[in-house]
Amino acid sequence: MKLTLYIAFASIILCSSFTLKKEKKTVSTPIEKIQITIDRDSLISYSKQYLGTPYLYAGNNPKRGFDCSGFVNYVFQHFEVTVPRSSSGYKNLGTAKKSEDFKVGDVLVFYGYRNKTIVGHVGIICEANGMHSKFIHASSGKAGSVTISDLDSDHYSKRFYKCVDVLPK
């Protein structure tokens, strides 16, 4: 009798280990695009905290210094916006805006001061007023740091190439 009980008990345990697996069904739902809006004034407030940071060729770190594209890249990266790391990367980026359409947070693109065919400088508009706008940038010139300059100054107006909006629509 004990043997019969033992066999019955073993059979129950053995059979219970072979249960059928239930099929899991997954329901896919459409993924909605998330619209990210970046406050342009916040972008400028963030960038202004680096005023006076020294200019450093190929620099992209506030502790060591910035070059122009390193500064622009660093600011936009904080807001999770991807922009070129090199000023030359802006040459074919976006569509040039009319001066009356310039906005705070747009990127100004300039030719180099020696070569008027190669893009050599970038900055971010911090006060939009067409060709009388002001922009924040890392200057290798007299300031030698992150500074704010007038677009309508001789130095920059002669080198102006275009203005582009790099923020998500």
Side-chain angles (χ1 to χ4, degrees):
M1 181 79 167
K2 285 184 179 181
L3 182 60
T4 308
L5 284 174
Y6 177 73
I7 292 174
F9 182 70
S11 298
I12 291 171
I13 291 177
L14 185 61
C15 288
S16 67
S17 66
F18 292 106
T19 59
L20 294 174
K21 291 183 179 178
K22 291 184 180 177
E23 212 173 290
K24 291 183 181 177
K25 289 186 179 181
T26 56
V27 179
S28 61
T29 57
I31 297 172
E32 294 179 28
K33 273 191 169 180
I34 298 172
Q35 188 71 22
I36 298 172
T37 304
I38 296 169
D39 179 58
R40 292 171 179 268
D41 291 329
S42 296
L43 185 108
I44 298 309
S45 294
Y46 179 76
S47 68
K48 284 183 176 180
Q49 73 180 321
Y50 299 106
L51 284 167
T53 301
Y55 179 87
L56 176 67
Y57 179 76
N60 63 348
N61 181 323
K63 292 180 176 138
R64 298 190 62 222
F66 291 113
D67 68 4
C68 65
S69 58
F71 173 68
V72 171
N73 182 277
Y74 187 85
V75 169
F76 281 99
Q77 190 176 47
H78 177 78
F79 292 89
E80 298 180 2
V81 175
T82 303
V83 295
R85 173 55 189 92
S86 170
S87 58
S88 63
Y90 288 85
K91 183 159 188 165
N92 298 315
L93 182 71
T95 304
K97 297 177 81 171
K98 295 178 184 173
S99 61
E100 61 268 17
D101 296 330
F102 290 3
K103 290 182 186 171
V104 167
D106 287 346
V107 175
L108 294 174
V109 183
F110 300 91
Y111 290 114
Y113 64 93
R114 288 189 185 132
N115 186 334
K116 304 291 190 232
T117 61
I118 297 171
V119 169
H121 192 64
V122 290
I124 305 168
I125 294 180
C126 58
E127 291 179 33
N129 186 16
M131 291 304 289
H132 303 287
S133 297
K134 292 182 183 284
F135 65 103
I136 187 167
H137 61 119
S139 172
S140 63
K142 191 175 172 181
S145 65
V146 174
T147 189
I148 295 175
S149 299
D150 297 313
L151 175 57
D152 60 2
S153 69
D154 280 347
H155 183 68
Y156 291 108
S157 62
K158 290 177 182 175
R159 296 171 49 204
F160 177 74
Y161 172 56
K162 68 178 177 176
C163 175
V164 292
D165 187 357
V166 297
L167 293 174
K169 305 291 182 242

